[in-house]
Amino acid sequence: MSDGAAAAAYPGLATKTVVAGVIDGHNVWRADLDAKLTTLEGLVGPQGLGAGAVAVGTSTSLLHVPHDADDEQWGNDSTPGAARRKLDPRLREWLAFANQKVGEVATLARGLASGRDAVADELRASSDAVASRVTAEGVRVPEVRERLASLTAGDFTRGAYAERAAAQQAALGLPLLPTTTIGSFPQTPEIRRARAQHARGALPEAEYTSAMQAEIRRVVELQEQIGLDVLVHGEPERNDMVQYFAELLDGFATTANGWVQSYGSRCVRPPILWGDVVRSAPMTVDWSSYTASLTSKPVKGMLTGPVTILAWSFVRDDQPLGDSANQVGLALRDELADLEAAGIGIIQVDEPALRELLPLRAADQPAYLDWSVGSFRLATSGVRTETQVHTHLCYSEFGEVIGAIDALDADVTSVEAARSRMEIVPELEAVGFARGIGPGVYDIHSPRVPSVEEATELLELAVKSIDPHVVWANPDCGLKTRRYAETVPSLENLVSATKAVRATL
Ligand code: GLN
Ligand code: ZN
C-alpha cells in the first residue's frame, strides 16, 4: 500500500489536515526536494488523502539547527585562525539551516498545490546540490576508505590487562590511589581573551603560543604544589572539547554563527562533518610535550573520543554513523601514536557522550554499543603495553551501559560519582570491573569546596568495595567552569583525603 493509501485508510484522518514533516529538523543538509515532492504527491492522491488535506512541514521544531546559512562567511582563506571561520563555499549549496528549511517547506507546498512546473528551477537546483555532494573532493578520500577496509580484529584489541598493568606500574611508579584531574583547569578571562584575539587574527601565532605556554606553566606549578601525581596541561587552548578537534581535522567544518541551544541558556556551535576524516598533522603533541618538559611527574595527554566528537556535531547523512566513528577513531589512533612517540606515557580519551547517544529502542542498543565501543578501541589499541590509556565519562548515570564501559578496555576510567555518593561502585562490582577506576570525589558542578572529611568518606566508600590497587582519586569532571578560588582548596582537600586513606591501607 502506498503512503497515501495507508493514510487514507486510517480511521479519522479523512476529516483532518495531515502535516507531513518531510524536511528533517535535526540535520543541516539540504533536502532532495524532488524525492520529497514525490512522497507528498503519494500522500495526496489518487488513493490518498486528497488535495488540501496535506500541509507541508518540518519533522521537528527548528531549534536544533542554526538560524541562517547566509549568516556565514563563505570563502577559502588559509590564514590560521580565520581559516576555520570561513566555510568552504562548496558547502553553501549543500546546507540548509532553519531559514533555508523554511524555504524548502514553502517550495514543496507550492509544488504540491500548483504542480511541479511551478517549482522546476528549485527542484533542479536541489537535485544538482545533492548530486554534487556525492562526487565532491574530500567527501570520499580513497586512502581513508582503504585503511578502514583493511582493518582486522587485531586493530581493535590490546594485550591482556594484567600484563599492561604490570608494565605501566613499572614505567610510571605511581603510589596507591594516584591523584589526578580530568583535564581542564579554570578558563580565566585572560585565557578567553587571548583565544578570541587569536581566532580573529589579532594575536600573532608566536604571542598566542607563549601566552598559552605561560598558562600551562602556571597550571603545572600549581599541580606540583598541590601534590597531584599525574599532571595535565589544563586545556587553555581549547574553546570546546569537540570544536577544538573539529577545527584541526579535515572533513569537519566549523561555523561562525551557527549557534544552537545546548541546554537552558547555554548555546554551542556544533561542527559539521561533511567529508572523510583526515588528520593532516598532529593536533596536541606540541602542547603535551611542552607540558612534559616542565615536570618530572607523568603528564597525561588529553583527547576527545570518536563518539563524543560525533555526538556534538552535525553528522553526514550519507553513511552509517559507525563508519564516521571509525574514521575519527583512525585519526585519533595516529594522534595517540604521536603522543606516545613524544614520550607521553598516559593518554586520556574522553567519552562523556557515550551514554547520551544510546538509542531509546532496546533493539537498537546492541548495534550502537558495538560500533561506539569499537571506534574507541580502534583509537586506543595501537599503543604499547606500557602506555596507559584513560577514559572519562560524565553527564549521566552509567548503570545501563556499564558493560560497554568495561568493553572500552581502558586502563583507567574516571566517572562522575561524587553527587551520587558512589552509586557507580556496586554497579562496577556487578560486572566484575577489574581495571583502574576513578570515581569522582569532588563535585565540580558547584562552587562549594568539598571538605577533607567529605572526600575521605567517598574514597573510603570506594576502597571498601573495590580493590584499592585500582582506585584513583580525582574530581568528577574538568575544572574549566570553576574559578581558582574554589579549585585550589578543593584539590588540596582531595590530596589530603587521599593521603589519609592511603595511610589506612
Ligand atoms: N577533559 C575534559 C575537561 O576536563 C573533559 C570534559 C568533559 O568530560 N565534559 O574539560
Ligand atoms: Zn566530564
Side-chain angles (χ1 to χ4, degrees):
M1 206 187 320
S2 70
D3 284 352
Y10 201 81
L13 269 193
T15 57
K16 305 267 189 323
T17 298
V18 171
V19 181
V22 289
I23 296 298
D24 193 337
H26 273 119
N27 74 23
V28 290
W29 301 109
R30 186 168 176 175
D32 181 348
L33 292 184
D34 198 294
K36 301 294 178 191
L37 192 51
T38 304
T39 303
L40 290 166
E41 287 162 347
L43 264 183
V44 169
Q47 294 116 37
L49 294 163
V54 175
V56 185
T58 54
S59 63
T60 62
S61 83
L62 291 172
L63 68 82
H64 307 289
V65 294
H67 179 196
D68 188 355
D70 289 331
D71 283 345
E72 296 302 321
Q73 292 182 340
W74 302 92
N76 292 316
D77 178 348
S78 56
T79 55
R84 302 291 175 170
R85 289 294 144 77
K86 290 229 168 135
L87 276 178
D88 185 329
R90 294 178 304 164
L91 266 75
R92 179 62 193 88
E93 63 164 328
W94 301 342
L95 292 175
F97 292 175
N99 272 16
Q100 287 70 41
K101 286 179 186 289
V102 170
E104 291 180 325
V105 167
T107 299
L108 288 172
R110 205 146 32 87
L112 195 59
S114 313
R116 286 182 170 248
D117 286 351
V119 293
D121 289 348
E122 287 90 338
L123 294 186
R124 198 171 321 108
S126 146
S127 302
D128 288 351
V130 170
S132 89
R133 233 183 104 196
V134 175
T135 53
E137 194 190 335
V139 171
R140 301 172 73 86
V141 178
E143 300 80 70
V144 173
R145 304 265 156 176
E146 280 153 26
R147 209 175 152 201
L148 277 174
S150 65
L151 291 173
T152 62
D155 295 314
F156 294 82
T157 26
R158 294 185 76 190
Y161 171 69
E163 267 166 51
R164 278 150 43 191
Q168 290 161 20
Q169 187 49 26
L172 298 166
L174 293 169
L176 264 185
L177 310 182
T179 53
T180 191
T181 60
I182 305 307
S184 57
F185 267 68
Q187 293 233 334
T188 61
E190 295 74 41
I191 301 174
R192 289 178 200 278
R193 202 172 312 125
R195 248 198 351 254
Q197 284 178 340
H198 178 245
R200 275 203 314 274
L203 188 64
E205 201 62 30
E207 278 174 47
Y208 170 73
T209 302
S210 56
M212 293 300 119
Q213 288 185 341
E215 179 63 23
I216 290 173
R217 207 176 321 117
R218 269 194 294 278
V219 167
V220 166
E221 281 165 10
L222 176 66
Q223 293 172 90
E224 290 195 321
Q225 271 161 27
I226 294 173
L228 290 156
D229 299 310
V230 171
L231 309 195
V232 296
H233 78 290
E235 306 179 25
E237 80 288 9
R238 300 190 189 175
N239 39 15
D240 171 271
M241 65 188 290
V242 167
Q243 190 175 345
Y244 179 76
F245 290 98
E247 287 180 2
L248 294 172
L249 289 167
D250 294 346
F252 283 93
T254 53
T255 69
N257 299 303
W259 296 99
V260 296
Q261 185 188 29
S262 151
Y263 59 90
S265 61
R266 279 190 56 85
C267 290
V268 291
R269 281 177 296 154
I272 298 167
L273 175 64
W274 61 269
D276 281 353
V277 178
V278 176
R279 187 197 73 139
S280 51
M283 303 182 282
T284 64
V285 176
D286 285 349
W287 299 120
S288 288
S289 305
Y290 175 73
T291 312
S293 76
L294 303 171
T295 177
S296 56
K297 295 222 168 154
V299 164
K300 184 162 67 165
M302 195 60 59
L303 304 171
T304 304
V307 179
T308 301
I309 288 185
L310 295 181
W312 298 347
S313 298
F314 290 112
V315 292
R316 51 196 294 183
D317 57 354
D318 58 350
Q319 68 180 20
L321 203 47
D323 292 0
S324 299
N326 275 344
Q327 292 188 0
V328 178
L330 274 183
L332 291 172
R333 186 180 177 99
D334 294 345
E335 185 71 13
L336 271 100
D338 285 344
L339 282 167
E340 183 182 75
I344 305 300
I346 306 182
I347 304 167
Q348 180 173 310
V349 181
D350 291 325
E351 280 294 23
L354 184 71
R355 170 70 184 74
E356 177 185 318
L357 275 201
L358 184 73
L360 282 176
R361 280 197 203 99
D364 297 337
Q365 292 176 356
Y368 162 72
L369 292 172
D370 194 51
W371 71 250
S372 57
V373 168
S375 66
F376 180 92
R377 292 177 64 136
L378 178 59
T380 54
S381 294
V383 297
R384 288 194 296 257
T385 310
E386 59 270 33
T387 297
Q388 190 168 71
V389 173
H390 288 219
T391 189
H392 166 71
L393 302 106
C394 57
Y395 299 135
S396 47
E397 282 157 18
F398 291 105
E400 227 179 322
V401 292
I402 200 90
I405 296 175
D406 197 24
L408 294 176
D409 197 28
D411 297 302
V412 181
T413 302
S414 63
V415 287
E416 195 173 306
R419 268 194 299 184
S420 71
R421 293 199 52 85
M422 301 283 140
E423 199 176 84
I424 185 114
V425 168
E427 293 164 349
L428 290 165
E429 270 188 299
V431 290
F433 194 92
R435 290 181 298 279
I437 181 79
V441 294
Y442 157 24
D443 174 10
I444 59 85
H445 300 284
S446 116
R448 206 176 62 85
V449 175
S451 66
V452 177
E453 293 69 38
E454 217 178 301
T456 305
E457 239 173 72
L458 291 178
L459 265 180
E460 277 170 346
L461 271 178
V463 296
K464 212 167 66 191
S465 309
I466 309 173
D467 175 4
H469 292 97
V470 300
V471 176
W472 285 61
N474 49 255
D476 261 353
C477 191
L479 301 163
K480 63 172 170 253
T481 56
R482 296 269 59 87
R483 288 174 312 158
Y484 274 104
E486 309 120 40
T487 297
V488 174
S490 300
L491 292 177
E492 283 171 350
N493 291 354
L494 186 151
V495 169
S496 300
T498 306
K499 286 182 178 155
V501 178
R502 259 180 212 157
T504 67
L505 296 173

